[in-house]
């Protein structure tokens, strides 16, 4: 009511507010002119209302919150403001998923060879590796030459008298000695008296029949003789003979079994049997000639293997006795390079080691057998294990 009664005052106030709002608007920075026009207007109206209510008024009361006044004309759009400063860099985003694997690129050209660098200092010695496995046993080498004889030992106690040796072969006949001088003739003795005749001696035994003479001419056929008496039947004699033969056959079988048993006992543990041969050792070593004599005294000979089975039996004996080698009966003493049996017949079986026989030193005429069954020619003067063949 009071505002209506003083229209001139209200208009005057509205103009003042409008001028004040325009002044405030132009004093703001250009960048905020467009967007804050309405806000400043609102603030100005609010401040105007505050001015109306707070400032002393002489003529009339202030209007109702300034709503009675009309809005002023809309101002022109201001120039766009300058761009604001660049904002701070934002935080990096999350790592994206791994993309699919690309195709392999083509091989590049090899680069130039670089210069050799100076040699580096020697490294520390390495730790020794573990011991290697034991290698296979090598083949037994040839026995070395005979060593020089050692000093003569002290005389041992006298041994027991040995069995008589086999009679040696007769030596070559010596040269005829010079004829001795003829001795002086002796003086003739006095003639003796004639003795009495002795009694006749007993008739001696009949001498052996003489050699059969030449057959004589066939004589004429003689007259037929008288018919003899009928003889007894021979059947009972045949039956008795058959019983005796069967009894003898039983005894032979028992003897064969006992002999086989004794043979097994005799061969254990220093013998081997192969077929009808028996190889036996006394467990000692001798030279070739001494070994021949030992076997001959026992009724045997040095072994003469004639097959692989016999050679294997000898090999087993040498191995079981842990000996380096044993003599065989084979030699080439008659013809160098031609080895034969003692009878002179050529070999029907041999098992020489590689490179043998080689007659090393020019005096290897005997043959020895190694634990592996191989043969080697050897000097007959060496001592080797003695095996006899029976």
């Amino acid at each position: 009511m009071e505002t209506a009664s003083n229209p001139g005052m209200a208009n005057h106030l509205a103009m003042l507010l409008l001028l004040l709002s325009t002044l405030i608007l132009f004093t703001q920075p250009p960048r905020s002119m467009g967007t804050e026009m309405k806000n400043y207007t609102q603030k100005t109206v609010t401040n105007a209302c505050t001015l109306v209510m707070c400032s002393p008024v002489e003529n009339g009361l202030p209007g109702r919150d300034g709503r009675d006044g009309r809005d002023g004309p809309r101002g022109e759009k201001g120039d766009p403001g300058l761009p604001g400063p660049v904002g701070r860099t934002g935080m990096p985003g999350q790592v994206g998923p791994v993309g699919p694997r690309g195709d392999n690129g083509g091989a590049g050209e090899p680069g130039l060879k670089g210069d050799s660098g100076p040699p580096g200092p020697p490294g520390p010695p390495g730790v020794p590796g573990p011991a290697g496995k034991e290698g296979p046993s090598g083949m037994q080498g040839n026995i070395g030459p005979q060593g020089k004889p050692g000093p003569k030992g002290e005389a041992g106690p006298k041994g027991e008298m040995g069995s008589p040796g086999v009679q040696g072969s007769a030596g070559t006949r010596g040269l005829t000695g010079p004829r001795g001088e003829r001795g002086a003739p002796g003086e003739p003795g006095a003639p003796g008296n004639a003795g009495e005749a002795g009694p006749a001696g007993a008739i001696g035994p009949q001498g052996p029949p003489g050699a059969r003479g030449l057959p004589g001419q066939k004589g004429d056929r003689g007259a037929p003789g008288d018919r003899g008496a009928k003889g007894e039947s021979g059947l009972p004699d045949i039956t008795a003979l058959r019983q005796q033969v069967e009894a003898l056959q039983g005894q032979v079988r028992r003897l064969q079994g006992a002999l086989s048993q004794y043979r097994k006992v005799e061969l254990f543990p220093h013998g081997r049997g192969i077929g009808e041969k028996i190889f036996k050792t006394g467990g000692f070593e001798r030279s070739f000639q001494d070994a021949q004599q030992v076997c001959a005294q026992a009724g045997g000979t040095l072994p003469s293997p004639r097959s692989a089975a016999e050679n294997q039996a000898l090999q087993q004996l040498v191995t079981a006795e842990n000996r380096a080698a044993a003599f065989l009966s084979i030699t080439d003493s008659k013809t160098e390079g031609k080895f034969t049996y003692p009878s002179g017949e050529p070999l029907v079986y041999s098992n020489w080691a590689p490179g043998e026989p080689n007659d090393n030193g020019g005096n290897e005429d005997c043959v020895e057998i190694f634990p592996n069954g191989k043969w080697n020619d050897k000097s007959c003067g060496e001592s080797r294990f003695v095996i006899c063949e029976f």
Side-chain angles (χ1 to χ4, degrees):
M1 290 293 291
E2 293 176 352
T3 307
S5 61
N6 297 308
M9 182 61 69
N11 292 333
H12 182 68
L13 290 173
M15 290 299 291
L16 290 175
L17 291 173
L18 180 59
L19 292 173
L20 182 59
S21 299
T22 304
L23 181 61
I24 294 172
L25 180 62
F26 281 108
T27 59
Q28 296 294 321
R31 64 182 179 180
S32 60
M33 294 180 74
T35 58
E36 296 183 1
M37 185 71 170
K38 186 177 180 181
N39 294 336
Y40 276 117
T41 304
Q42 294 175 356
K43 290 178 182 180
T44 304
V45 174
T46 302
N47 293 337
C49 179
T50 303
L51 288 174
V52 171
M53 292 181 64
C54 296
S55 62
V57 189
E58 294 182 359
N59 297 322
L61 297 173
R64 295 177 293 178
D65 300 330
R67 286 180 294 176
D68 292 339
R70 292 181 294 179
D71 294 334
R74 184 169 183 168
E76 297 178 359
K77 184 176 181 181
D79 297 330
L82 300 174
V86 179
R88 292 179 296 175
T89 305
M91 298 292 291
Q94 297 180 354
V95 179
V98 179
R101 182 177 180 180
D103 298 333
N104 294 330
E109 297 180 358
L112 298 176
K113 183 176 181 181
D115 298 333
S116 300
V127 180
K133 297 182 180 180
E134 184 178 356
S137 300
M139 295 180 61
Q140 180 174 354
N142 294 333
I143 299 175
Q146 184 176 4
K148 296 180 179 179
K152 184 175 182 180
E154 298 179 358
K158 185 176 181 180
E160 298 178 359
M161 185 175 181
S163 57
V166 179
Q167 182 177 357
S169 57
T172 56
R173 185 172 182 177
L175 299 176
T176 305
R179 185 173 182 177
E181 298 178 358
R182 185 172 183 178
E187 297 178 357
N193 298 324
E196 297 180 358
I203 299 174
Q206 183 178 356
R212 186 172 182 178
L214 297 176
Q217 295 182 358
K218 185 176 181 179
D220 297 334
R221 183 168 183 168
D226 297 334
R227 186 183 183 92
K230 184 178 181 180
E232 298 179 357
S233 174
L235 292 178
D237 294 338
I238 293 177
T239 303
L241 289 175
R242 184 176 298 169
Q243 292 175 351
Q244 291 178 1
V245 170
E246 291 177 353
L248 290 174
Q249 288 177 343
Q251 292 179 359
V252 170
R253 284 193 296 269
R254 287 190 294 271
L255 289 174
Q256 287 176 341
L259 180 61
S260 176
Q261 189 69 17
Y262 286 133
R263 182 180 182 185
K264 293 178 182 178
V265 173
E266 179 64 20
L267 292 179
F268 180 82
H270 304 296
R272 292 291 186 278
I274 182 71
E276 296 182 355
K277 287 187 177 182
I278 294 178
F279 299 113
K280 194 78 166 57
T281 175
F284 50 82
E285 296 184 358
R286 295 287 188 275
S287 66
F288 181 78
Q289 290 183 344
D290 291 343
Q292 274 186 322
Q293 186 176 1
V294 168
C295 292
Q297 289 175 353
T301 61
L302 285 175
S304 302
R306 295 173 179 265
S307 66
E310 294 180 4
N311 195 75
Q312 184 179 9
L314 292 171
Q315 173 189 353
Q316 293 173 352
L317 268 179
V318 176
T319 304
E321 295 292 331
N322 194 23
R323 301 290 180 163
F327 272 130
L328 301 179
S329 67
I330 302 167
T331 67
D332 68 342
S333 56
K334 294 183 179 179
T335 304
E336 180 61 37
K338 184 179 180 181
F339 288 89
T340 61
Y341 296 113
S343 61
E345 59 180 318
L347 303 183
V348 297
Y349 169 82
S350 63
N351 192 27
W352 295 106
E356 301 296 340
N358 59 4
D359 195 27
N360 186 20
N363 62 343
E364 291 186 337
D365 295 333
C366 292
V367 179
E368 61 184 354
I369 179 173
F370 291 142
N372 61 359
K374 296 296 183 181
W375 296 3
N376 173 53
D377 56 339
K378 197 64 182 174
S379 172
C380 300
E382 300 284 343
S383 292
R384 288 294 178 266
F385 190 53
V386 178
I387 300 176
C388 297
E389 175 184 314
F390 300 95

